[in-house]
Amino acid sequence: MGPLPKKSRLPGKDSKANAAAAVSPLPYEHTFRLLVGSVTDYAIFLLSTEGVVVSWNPGAERIKGYKAEEIIGKPFTVFYPEVDLQAGKPAMELRVAGEVGRFEDEGWRIRKDGSRFWASVIITALRDETGTLIGFGKITRDLTDRREAELRHRLLIEGVTDYAIYSLDVNGNITSWNTGAQRIKGYTAEEIVGKNFSNFYTREDADAGLPAKVLAEAVRQGHFEGEGWRVRKDGRRFWSNVVVTPMRDESGDLIGFTKITRDMTDRMQLLEKIQQHAQELEVRMAESERANAELEAFGYSVSHDLRAPLRAIEGFSDIILTDFGTQLPGRVPELLQNVLQAATRMNHLVQDLLDYSRLGRIDIDPAPVNLLRAVREAREQIPGKLRDKVTLSIDPALMVAAHRPTLIQVLVNLIDNGLKFYPQGRTPHVEVTARAENDIIMISVCDEGIGISRQHQERIFHVFERLHSAETYPGTGIGLAIVKRGISRMGGTVQVESTPGKGSRFSISLPAK
Ligand code: ADP
């Protein structure tokens, strides 16, 4: 800034002179004044050697609220809060600027309306060619917004309790400390600020130079993240997740690091617990699988062993009835007939149980099966005259991925049920249809029989669940359980739609070949 014209050099308190009035003969001074005169972001003004305002720009008017004519000639002390005035700060600032050429400060200043703003201030001593002090240039910036943002930021960081957030200087000495850091590491700010962050490392890690390596890595990569054991003030270890970020100033020079540490001990413990539970569960599942397998094996052998005596009862009853029927007294033949029927029923039951149990034990490797042929084979197993009541509507080319004997067994059960659950005296009819849907083959077994009410449609697939007495409709209550197990073992599903009195449709879906 060029020297001030003599007249305005030491303006008195009552001077109304404005810097703009001090017209310079030099064109660059004029330009310079224009420049200052247009700046609104900075208050740029001149003070006399005593601190009286000599010039004023639009930025000064905007920031401090005074118009040029209101403030020129007034002492610059009006901008200071009472505490600063009492401490003699304005005079001190001019003295320092006069002595060293420049004074820089940040602090509260007062606007015309009495409100405060956070100012960044630079006061520069102005001297003439002979070196005599002729006044001061003052540049003030309103940093209230920035300060508030910084304050909010600081409060936010300080208030965080889940994370230790702190900063280090370039050597790893701690420069700030938040609540989370105190909570996690156990040190108060007073105890730890100024100390080196290597204090948090285990002896082995510190001896291995890990702290320095972490900082070097952060500088090299622009970021460091890691997990490891750290030590609390009381010596206890904790598992931490650490993020270190280097901080640089505007010119890119390293000025320190920020460090965020999370205590992961709880998580680690939780993880260990989950793993432990998973292991226990695995053991239990293996146990229950083994128990299931044992139960299956037991059921199988019991069913198997039951059949021999049953066959004996059936056989001997039959012989007695055939060979000695006529010689038997009174109701004996009739009673024996009952024994025979009961034995036959028992035999069916055992046979069905055996089939059901076997389905859980055999290896089922689905292979391509021609559906029409399989359904025909199932129909062949239906006794003579009923067989004709089964119609098929299946594309002969349809192939399905299935275990052929199981598929036939399933179909026999469904067709058999469809022919069985009919109102007395009516002729049954069952239709088996199939269609391909993308990679799935849908097979339907439909009847026009008695139907199943909605509330029973799920339980009929369970073993021994029957909706009728054996007298009304004979059966063991195992057929649909075999259907369900067989289909699910082949990777398919089965479901029923039914309207009581109208009929039922059992639909099976199996993967296409
Ligand atoms: P079972 O046929 O030996 O009784 P299932 O397990 O095959 O045993 O069937 C269980 C029950 O589901 C039957 O007792 C019957 O009440 C009912 N059910 C099965 N299929 C049909 C059907 N097509 N129509 C009506 N009810 C049926």
Side-chain angles (χ1 to χ4, degrees):
M1 191 171 281
L4 294 170
K6 281 268 183 277
K7 229 187 144 274
S8 63
R9 189 181 288 173
L10 295 169
K13 266 187 171 222
D14 55 351
S15 169
K16 291 273 180 287
N18 175 323
V23 180
S24 158
L26 297 169
Y28 84 86
E29 276 203 29
H30 177 63
T31 320
F32 185 74
R33 242 191 302 279
L34 282 176
L35 173 72
V36 171
S38 63
V39 169
T40 54
D41 286 342
Y42 293 80
I44 305 176
F45 55 100
L46 297 168
L47 299 177
S48 71
T49 48
E50 285 86 29
V52 171
V53 178
V54 175
S55 75
W56 202 240
N57 80 330
E61 181 176 334
R62 193 184 64 79
I63 293 171
K64 307 204 184 230
Y66 298 94
K67 290 194 180 315
E69 54 273 23
E70 289 172 324
I71 196 68
I72 286 176
K74 301 257 168 61
F76 85 126
T77 49
V78 297
F79 307 136
Y80 287 77
E82 194 52 39
V83 275
D84 287 352
L85 293 176
Q86 278 175 11
K89 211 172 162 205
M92 179 276 286
E93 289 181 6
L94 292 190
R95 202 181 61 244
V96 174
E99 281 167 8
V100 302
R102 183 185 161 88
F103 177 86
E104 235 183 289
D105 184 30
E106 278 197 14
W108 291 112
R109 294 294 185 272
I110 309 290
R111 296 196 185 92
K112 183 191 164 190
D113 64 8
S115 62
R116 298 200 309 173
F117 68 99
W118 187 260
S120 146
V121 178
I122 300 173
I123 302 176
T124 317
L126 305 172
R127 297 179 181 278
D128 68 10
E129 339 42 273
T130 66
T132 313
L133 184 73
I134 52 169
F136 299 94
K138 197 171 178 219
I139 301 179
T140 304
R141 250 177 98 187
D142 182 352
L143 295 181
T144 315
D145 289 350
R146 198 191 76 187
R147 185 181 153 79
E148 276 174 1
E150 276 175 7
L151 207 67
R152 268 203 303 275
H153 191 63
R154 220 179 55 219
L155 283 174
L156 188 78
I157 287 180
E158 277 172 4
V160 168
T161 55
D162 287 344
Y163 294 80
I165 305 176
Y166 54 100
S167 48
L168 307 175
D169 65 15
V170 286
N171 300 313
N173 294 321
I174 295 154
T175 50
S176 77
W177 197 242
N178 81 333
T179 319
Q182 176 163 346
R183 191 184 67 81
I184 294 173
K185 312 216 185 215
Y187 298 93
T188 62
E190 296 73 46
E191 287 170 329
I192 200 70
V193 168
K195 303 243 169 70
N196 200 275
F197 84 116
S198 55
N199 278 300
F200 309 138
Y201 283 75
T202 61
R203 188 62 171 274
E204 313 85 75
D205 285 350
D207 287 350
L210 196 62
K213 280 183 197 156
V214 164
L215 297 190
E217 187 67 10
V219 170
R220 208 168 59 80
Q221 303 257 10
H223 179 85
F224 170 87
E225 185 162 359
E227 293 203 353
W229 289 109
R230 297 289 184 275
V231 186
R232 295 185 222 267
K233 185 188 165 191
D234 62 11
R236 281 183 303 139
R237 289 181 174 208
F238 67 101
W239 185 262
S240 78
N241 170 287
V242 181
V243 178
V244 183
T245 317
M247 291 191 287
R248 298 182 181 278
D249 63 12
E250 300 91 52
S251 50
D253 291 337
L254 185 71
I255 53 169
F257 300 89
T258 57
K259 206 161 175 267
I260 303 180
T261 302
R262 246 172 101 189
D263 182 351
M264 308 286 279
T265 317
D266 287 354
R267 265 240 223 140
M268 273 272 280
Q269 284 166 349
L270 198 68
L271 209 69
E272 277 168 12
K273 259 195 209 144
I274 291 172
Q275 276 165 352
Q276 200 180 326
H277 278 309
Q279 274 169 5
E280 281 171 12
L281 211 66
E282 247 171 61
V283 170
R284 266 191 231 157
M285 270 169 68
E287 274 170 9
S288 97
E289 255 170 45
R290 208 178 43 239
N292 268 343
E294 275 170 15
L295 212 64
E296 289 274 358
F298 175 73
Y300 184 79
S301 63
V302 165
S303 312
H304 207 261
D305 294 348
L306 273 176
R307 295 188 77 196
L310 269 175
R311 250 183 269 120
I313 296 172
E314 272 183 302
F316 288 125
S317 307
D318 197 37
I319 292 170
I320 296 171
L321 272 173
T322 329
D323 296 355
F324 307 102
T326 49
Q327 301 158 38
L328 293 172
R331 290 182 60 219
V332 174
E334 184 196 336
L335 294 175
L336 213 52
Q337 195 67 45
N338 287 349
V339 171
L340 193 59
Q341 268 175 12
T344 309
R345 215 175 101 68
M346 184 88 160
N347 205 4
H348 282 153
L349 195 68
V350 172
Q351 177 60 50
D352 281 359
L353 269 179
L354 212 54
D355 286 350
Y356 179 72
S357 156
R358 204 173 44 89
L359 261 185
R361 297 148 49 88
I362 55 164
D363 287 334
I364 288 198
D365 295 321
V369 172
N370 179 284
L371 187 62
L372 181 60
R373 268 189 253 146
V375 178
R376 278 196 183 134
E377 202 172 316
R379 187 170 57 173
E380 285 309 303
Q381 295 188 26
I382 303 294
K385 53 182 174 23
L386 279 177
R387 196 179 303 150
D388 305 337
K389 310 294 178 232
V390 183
T391 54
L392 313 182
S393 167
I394 296 167
D395 180 345
L398 270 189
M399 299 293 285
V400 49
H403 180 250
R404 198 163 193 278
T406 302
L407 178 61
I408 292 172
Q409 190 180 13
V410 162
L411 289 166
V412 168
N413 272 301
L414 290 178
I415 296 171
D416 192 49
N417 278 350
L419 295 170
K420 182 166 65 177
F421 295 103
Y422 256 76
Q424 296 285 321
R426 258 185 53 196
T427 317
H429 175 231
V430 168
E431 183 173 34
V432 186
T433 58
R435 67 193 148 87
E437 255 180 39
N438 301 323
D439 295 339
I440 301 285
I441 304 290
M442 299 287 294
I443 309 162
S444 294
V445 179
C446 305
D447 62 56
E448 291 151 11
I450 58 172
I452 305 151
S453 65
R454 182 169 285 275
Q455 83 252 35
H456 300 309
Q457 287 177 8
E458 206 180 309
R459 73 177 176 101
I460 53 171
F461 288 97
H462 296 182
V463 178
F464 298 138
E465 290 288 353
R466 309 197 71 235
L467 307 178
H468 312 278
S469 68
E471 285 72 44
T472 332
Y473 293 104
T476 57
I478 302 171
L480 287 181
I482 289 177
V483 169
K484 179 133 194 197
R485 185 179 258 192
I487 292 295
S488 85
R489 288 225 52 203
M490 290 188 289
T493 59
V494 56
Q495 58 191 39
V496 60
E497 296 154 76
S498 182
T499 313
K502 290 238 160 87
S504 312
R505 170 196 294 267
F506 286 81
S507 304
I508 294 168
S509 73
L510 279 173
K513 186 223 76 173

